[in-house]
Amino acid sequence: MAKLTIDGKQIEVPDGTRLFDACHEARGEALPHFCYHPDLSIAGVCRLCQVEVEGMPKLTIACNTTVRDDMVVHTRNERVQTAVKQILEMHLINHPVDCPICDQAGECGLQDQYMDYGLYESEIEMGDKVNKEKAQVIGPHVILDKERCVLCSRCVRFCEEITKTGELGIYNRGDRAEIGTAPGVELDNNYSLNTVDICPVGALTSRDFRFQKRVWMLRATPSICPGCATGCNVRVDHEGGRVYRLKPRRNDDVNGPWMCDSGRMIYKDVHAEGRLGSALVRRDGGLESLSWADARRELLGMLKPGSVAFALADPSLSLEELVLFRRLARRLAGEVQIAGGVAGDGLGEGDEILLSSDRRPNRHALSWLDLAEVAPADLAAALEGARGTVLVLGGDPVAHLEVAAALKGVRLVYLGTRHNATAAAADLVIPLSMWPEKDALWANKQGRIQRGQRAVAAPGDAREDWRLLVDMLGHAGDDLDLAGLPALRRFVAQELGLADEDSLNRLPAAGLVPDVAVASPGSAPTGGE
Amino acid sequence: MSYKGLPEVVTTRKRSFWESAYFVEIFKGLVVTGRHVLKNLRHTDEMPTIQYPDQKRDYGPRFRGRHRLTQRDDGSPKCVACQMCSTVCPADCIEIEAAEHPNPAIEKFPETFTIDLLRCVYCGLCEEACPCDAIRMDTGIYEIAADTREAFIVDKEFLLNNDKDGTL
Amino acid sequence: MLPVILEALLKIIFFFILIMGFVVVLIWGERKGSAFIQDRTGPNRASIGGIRLAGLVHPVADVFKLLFKEDVAPSQRHPFLYAFAPWLGMVVAMTTYTVIPFGDFLQIGDKVYPMVVADLEIGMLFVLAISSLATYGIALGGWASNSKYTFLGSMRATAQMVSYEITMGLALMGLFLVFGSLRLTDIVGGQGELIWGWLPKWGVVVQPLGFLLFMGAIYAETNRTPFDMSERDSEIVAGYHTEYSSMKFALFFMAEYAHMVVAAALIATLYFGGYQIPWLPRPVLEGHAGPILTGLLVAGGLCSIWIGTLYFRRARREKGWYNDAREREPGVLGTAAVVGGLVMLGSLLLQPWNIGAGGGSIFVSLIQTGAFIGKLVFFAWLFIWVRWTVPSFRYDQVMHLGWKIMLPAGLVNLVVTALWLAAVHR
Ligand code: SF4
Ligand code: SF4
Ligand code: SF4
Ligand code: SF4
Ligand code: FES
């Protein structure tokens, strides 16, 4: 442990700590900085994190200094302030200051530092500035404005150290130096948008988000990316009922500060064409939309205990929904005819960084709940000759041709979010909410339960899905009584056999890896027949 | 009359006999108002009333009238869709959708720009916030009328050529 | 029999037209007068073909507006009384006129017609009895609407009426003592005399305190400011007629002005000599009927032509102000005035100075009616003038004034008058 004094405050930090982090801890806020990033190597190029260390003749940069015992450090004295101000002025010499059209405005390091440390009158005429290329598309997701770059090299280091693809580099010298890609090279790795996140200014911006919204108008809701079994922690930025972008949230146990590009784009499904807005019922061969009250009556009428031949839930449902589904399915049908997803659905290619080959956010929970996957051929065989209702929650099993062929003679009830093959083949379609539209728990591939909060309202008639399931349960004769989310989470904890009933209501920030006995039997359904 | 614990704030003067006799005071009042009647009968033209649609008040050059969007030399809006105005607007009545401008030197421009004149409180914060001098309230137009609520939501084309007075 | 009915009918029609005309003009006068008192221009927009008559077209437009407006009525009303109340107010106001003389008599040939619809023995008592019925209009209207504001309005009106009716009666008793009759024609006739040969024996001269009390009481009786307890907008919305709309509201509205006309006529009749012109009793006027008529015609003609030229000057000045039909107005009015003046002057050709005895008598009757109407107009204007000059009383002040000041004063006035008369007649 090293004891040091920062701005007159004594603190004790482990040996080998960076002075930058020690100052952050002592001051309660970070030093001004552009190039330092805790997950990247030290570059020490922006020179903004200047501090005065007693005994050293010159100011020094905190990010490249390791703490020593008895260090006496000043971060706010006149000398440091002047230095920071002058360095900032240097950064801004050739900066175009086109904040009005810059997407970074509002979350820009330059703007923040200027307001905190700058506030000087510029001595540079606009005409004297060195002009570089603006609005250059450098990849499928990223657009580069070379004028705005402060050459902190974060993006270069990211591509070298994290993705190890090395597309970006700094070319030329002096005030001609600029970020760029080699001729013929594109910044097209699946993590390219992280460079946009770490770029402290508006040099690298997202093509997808470009000009969509000013960032200060957005509201942020913490959530979990449903794109794959990794379960990256994300922030849903939304406004007026519309999701505009996803940003990663730091969770060092899951995704660190990063997330992949395909995950970032997944929000588009929420507002894409083909969302189910109202319930549909088959009449005279075609699907007609139905009011919610009628749809509910129709749904409850179709689900009589014993009348359900097969119940299938996709692991894209949340943990609560899967738990309720299991209970409902057990009540309506015999155990053999329940399955959790179609084997082989939702698999893709993964990589070593974050993306998992399992593209379902909740497949891990299936094993907890003893919901086996069913192969398409087995599903087809089970449906062949079956009588009664087939209940499908989420997913798209009918996309498998053999399943589609086996559907004759059964009534298909589909609760889902999209107009897909299953919806087209169903006799009754009930719209569900998608992931940013509900407060839900997800179990990632580590078995870590994480919570995503509700950011926007679902379109049309879709409701809180768990309430719909409880409603169906009640109609099936179950006297399960869940007043609200805390009660629901307690019920889920019971079903999983967790020691602490309230543990799911008090999830730690990093999520909870519970000690679940594999294939928890769950409670027996209660209530009279 | 005074209330316990409260200081006597209003002090009433004692009225003299003739004042409380009331009729004398009424008569004095009648003389005052009567003088006004006679004056106005004789000099009807000098009444302070402005006969509104026929006569109009001249407002100062800084009067905040209906908004307009200033134009570049080619007639396109100067606005770069930075949305400073819609951010600062206390009535939240400016809606802007930005888009990529074909000219890379301009980069960003408003695809749509609407102001709900019914919601606007004519505070002038939008023109003050604009970094590009793109929105101004110097038209001097204050007669803003329309038959439907929708007509008060004016679009970019209207704001670019906003010089006609009267009904929307 | 028939001529009697016909005669009564003609007089009734005369009064009806007089009152309705006055109501329209008074509504206009109220708006225009209040405007001028407050340095505004008042109504000046409505026009018929550009002729606005300083806003006189507005009441006409108002009538049409009110006729065609939806009649919104509260669902919990008492249906019959709700509809009946406005009529009651109007009918009462009209009935009171029957006993008010607007001239002494009209002699056509050998026949002499008294210029009053019904010359009742009980005259003034009839007026008091009927006019107190007006409270029923207000009380019923407020109660039948079944709303707390209207109810408050009618309660106030009733209380106020009860308080001030007494004062009014006491004030009038002094007058009855002086003139020795309840018959209004007698009272007016008595006011034609002179005291000491130069002072007209008007009610206001012989009963100054009584006059003031009567004035106050009659203002309260008509619910006019400063006694507008029953319709104080700032306290009880619009008082008793809050729930009325369309023509029913218009009836209440007109009844208020009709009451004003009655009140003005009563003040003129009881205290200002009615149709009497001071120092010019009927014989004097009849003796000089020819010259007076000639003088009036010449003066009227010249005035009219002068007014016409003023209008023409205005027409020149206002050219290009409006660029619409309104520009025609001064020209049209000016032409009308000049033509009227020329007609008056032209009638000199008929030798009006040779009017003769029969014509002279008719002419004098007309002049006396004119004098009555002139007095009536002044007192009606006084109502408006007072309303836009003084603030209204608080409710407790109204009660204080009525019971503790005016009632004792009325008693004192009665006693003093009686003692004085007793002393004089001893
Ligand atoms: S990078 Fe920052 S300072 Fe530069 S234009 Fe963009 S918002 Fe403004
Ligand atoms: S583009 Fe952004 S991250 Fe990259 S060097 Fe420039 S400022 Fe830094
Ligand atoms: S004048 Fe004020 S209220 Fe109106 S648009 Fe501008 S900022 Fe908004
Ligand atoms: S502030 Fe000016 S430039 Fe920015 S969006 Fe508004 S009008 Fe356009
Ligand atoms: S943060 Fe230390 S030099 Fe950039």
Side-chain angles (χ1 to χ4, degrees), chain A residues 273-296:
Chain A
E273 286 282 297
R275 262 311 284 279
L276 285 171
S278 68
L280 303 169
V281 70
R282 185 163 304 281
R283 293 238 168 88
D284 310 326
L287 285 174
E288 283 173 21
S289 58
L290 210 58
S291 77
W292 182 255
D294 290 346
R296 177 175 172 272

Side-chain angles (χ1 to χ4, degrees), chain C residues 288-306 337-355 363 366-367:
Chain C
H288 304 83
I292 293 177
L293 178 57
T294 316
L296 280 180
L297 280 177
V298 173
L302 291 179
C303 268
S304 198
I305 291 174
W306 178 63
V338 168
V339 169
L342 288 178
V343 168
M344 281 191 229
L345 291 182
S347 62
L348 290 180
L349 294 176
L350 301 176
Q351 298 189 335
W353 47 87
N354 288 335
I355 188 165
F363 169 66
L366 288 181
I367 284 200

